[in-house]
């Protein structure tokens, strides 16, 4: 379809989506969470010619929801507020966003793409505490969301058992065994599930393993608990079949953090919480080793033959990347978004000239941020990230709800590996990270004006999220 025809059609569809999400902002936000899990499959198999439209679909849902929530909120929303340093967060975002004014970018539309990559999902974090009216609604719908892992993991298993050039291994087709989609040996393709890229799939298994374990520490029905326990070895196996070392190391970090904090803080609403955690670990060990031993062999062999270690990947690469960035970039940087693949596609599509100073090749997120933003704005960006991390830990300690505390802790722990792993270029991680950060802000939610009638309607005595976590 020619661009002249595609643009008005896309514009009309975008308008419809924005208007709908404006009127149903809660449903739009929840739909965006589902769409981020399946958009890769839609792009790969159903509408490969309209990949850009599908890619921006969840963002259109968020635009309408943002307009409604921030510019025309319901009275119900106005009655509650977040006790967070919003002014400081806004100032840090504005300061880091100054890099969008860099003339090296070449076009305002490309600067907007860069702003989207860094800041698009931050407002969503401050909407999440208002998304669910009660604690029970949050946990119930989070459980349903976690159950979506089952079909995605089963698809990953089918990809693993299929030929690397099969239609369900579209991303791997045409790649040799030493390429990014192979293990470097053998004829197995690294699976991507319903995601367009391996990084999206590795993000999925890491976030959903943490979500599963947190929910298993709450009161669940036997059916839901059995379902989540069944998913655990599937998630670990999908991480192994994806070949991502960072996903497996991230899982170890999250589970280790849960065990560590369980020695100091009460996790879960009953005495069986730690027993459930131990049972989850046993299920993963037995199920994974018995049913997916070949995946473990491929993953461990890839780890051994790669020639690097945790030290080289985490410490040495970060050091080299930082040194290269400091030597190359200066204070101004090359411009926000200049290294993003989508900006290169837009330059080709609209005939926008290349930047006068093209950014150097990078393979590390820290390098990319410093090269694009410059030293000053990159410093503000990571100050923002550290501020959010500190707030998440603060609200975890403030949380008095035994049902919510494991989920908030997991959402805090998931931020730690993503100071190293890609966020800006990994739109799956970008979306899920800020969405999960929003869960950690729930304990800061309190009534603007305390009213007895409002308390009863929102909290139902002891089940409201805000009442359980903020009213002292």
């Amino acid at each position: 379809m020619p661009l002249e025809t595609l643009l008005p059609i896309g514009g009309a569809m975008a308008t419809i989506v924005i208007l709908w999400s404006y009127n149903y902002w809660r449903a739009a936000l929840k739909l965006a969470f589902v769409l981020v899990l399946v958009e890769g499959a839609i792009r790969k198999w159903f509408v490969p010619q309209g990949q850009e439209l599908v890619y921006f679909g969840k963002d259109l849902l968020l635009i309408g929801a943002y307009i409604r929530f921030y510019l025309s909120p319901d009275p119900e929303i106005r009655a509650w507020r977040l006790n967070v340093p919003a002014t400081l967060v806004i100032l840090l975002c504005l300061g880091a966003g100054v890099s969008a004014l860099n003339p090296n970018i070449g076009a305002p539309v490309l600067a907007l793409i860069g702003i989207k990559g860094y800041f698009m999902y931050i407002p969503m974090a401050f909407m999440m505490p208002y998304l669910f009216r009660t604690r029970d609604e949050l946990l119930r719908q989070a459980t349903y969301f976690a159950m979506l892992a089952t079909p995605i993991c089963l698809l990953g298993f089918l990809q693993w058992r299929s030929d690397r050039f099969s239609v369900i291994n579209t991303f791997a087709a045409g790649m040799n065994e030493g390429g990014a989609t192979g293990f470097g040996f053998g004829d197995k393709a690294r699976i991507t599930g319903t995601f367009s890229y391996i990084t999206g799939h590795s993000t999925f298994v890491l976030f959903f393993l943490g979500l599963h374990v947190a929910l298993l520490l709450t009161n669940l029905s036997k059916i839901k608990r059995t379902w989540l326990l069944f998913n655990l070895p599937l998630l670990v196996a999908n991480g192994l079949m994806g070949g991502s070392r960072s996903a497996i190391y991230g899982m170890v970090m999250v589970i280790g953090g849960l065990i560590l904090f369980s020695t100091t803080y009460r996790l879960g609403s009953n005495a069986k919480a730690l027993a459930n955690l131990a049972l989850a670990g046993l299920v993963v060990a037995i199920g994974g080793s018995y049913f997916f031993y070949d995946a473990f062999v491929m993953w461990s062999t890839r780890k051994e033959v790669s020639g690097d270690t945790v030290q080289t990947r985490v410490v040495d690469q970060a050091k080299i990347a930082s040194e290269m960035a400091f030597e190359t970039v200066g204070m101004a940087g090359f411009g926000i978004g200049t290294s993003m693949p989508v900006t290169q596609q837009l330059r080709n599509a609209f005939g926008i000239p290349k930047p006068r100073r093209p950014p150097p090749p990078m393979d590390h997120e820290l390098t990319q941020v410093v090269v694009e933003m410059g030293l000053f704005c990159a410093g503000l960006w990571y100050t923002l990230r550290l501020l959010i991390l500190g707030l998440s830990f603060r609200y975890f300690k403030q949380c008095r709800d035994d049902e919510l505390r494991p989920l908030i802790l997991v959402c805090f722990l998931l931020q730690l590996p993503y100071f190293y792993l890609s966020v800006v270029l990994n739109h799956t991680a970008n979306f899920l990270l800020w969405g999960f950060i929003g869960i950690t802000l729930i304990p800061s939610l309190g009534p603007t004006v305390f009213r007895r009638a409002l308390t009863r309607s929102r909290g139902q005595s002891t089940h409201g999220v805000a009442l359980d976590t903020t009213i002292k």
Side-chain angles (χ1 to χ4, degrees), residues 43-219:
R43 293 168 65 189
K44 287 190 293 185
W45 295 314
F46 297 101
V47 285
Q49 300 304 318
Q51 292 195 35
E52 288 76 13
L53 293 177
V54 177
Y55 174 79
F56 289 109
K58 65 182 181 302
D59 301 326
L60 296 175
L61 289 169
L62 291 182
I63 290 173
Y66 286 172
I67 295 172
R68 177 60 181 272
F69 183 87
Y70 288 103
L71 301 183
S72 182
D74 299 327
E76 176 191 15
I77 301 301
R78 294 181 185 274
W80 297 83
R81 65 176 181 179
L82 287 173
N83 297 310
V84 298
T87 301
L88 180 57
V89 171
I90 293 172
L91 289 175
L92 288 172
C93 289
L94 291 175
V98 168
S99 56
L101 302 177
N102 193 320
N104 190 57
I105 298 174
V109 65
L110 300 182
L112 289 175
I113 293 297
I115 291 174
K116 172 199 171 299
Y118 283 86
F119 305 106
M120 176 70 186
Y121 305 119
I122 295 179
M124 177 178 61
F126 298 93
M127 297 169 63
M128 292 297 294
Y130 300 88
L131 184 60
F132 306 97
R133 291 182 172 87
T134 67
R135 185 269 317 279
D136 291 344
E137 180 186 350
L138 164 62
L139 294 177
R140 182 175 62 254
Q141 296 193 15
T143 303
Y144 293 145
F145 183 62
M147 289 177 175
L148 295 177
T150 305
I152 299 174
C153 289
L154 292 178
L155 174 62
F157 178 74
L158 289 177
Q159 290 176 331
W160 179 256
R161 294 301 179 187
S162 300
D163 184 86
R164 67 183 301 152
F165 301 109
S166 168
V167 66
I168 63 173
N169 282 324
T170 302
F171 180 63
M175 300 291 288
N176 59 47
E177 65 181 20
T181 61
F183 282 83
F185 55 90
D187 60 354
K188 288 289 187 181
R190 297 172 64 185
I191 66 171
T192 59
T194 56
F195 300 87
S196 298
Y197 305 103
I198 293 171
T199 53
H201 179 263
S202 61
T203 298
F204 153 74
V205 296
L206 176 52
F207 272 83
F208 269 66
L209 182 96
L211 178 61
H212 275 65
V213 174
L215 291 172
L216 285 169
L217 295 177
T218 64
N219 285 322

Side-chain angles (χ1 to χ4, degrees), residues 270-325:
N270 55 63
K272 297 181 180 179
L274 290 180
N276 290 331
L277 190 59
L279 176 61
L282 185 63
V283 169
V284 168
I286 296 177
S289 61
Y290 182 79
F291 293 105
F292 305 106
Y293 179 74
D294 56 340
F296 173 76
V297 171
M298 294 289 287
W299 179 87
S300 58
T301 304
R302 179 174 185 267
K303 180 176 72 71
E304 294 298 329
V305 302
S306 63
D308 58 11
T309 63
V310 175
Q311 159 119 13
T312 59
R313 289 176 64 85
V314 176
V315 180
D316 297 343
Q317 282 189 13
K319 180 180 178 181
I320 294 172
S322 302
E323 291 174 351
M324 187 184 79

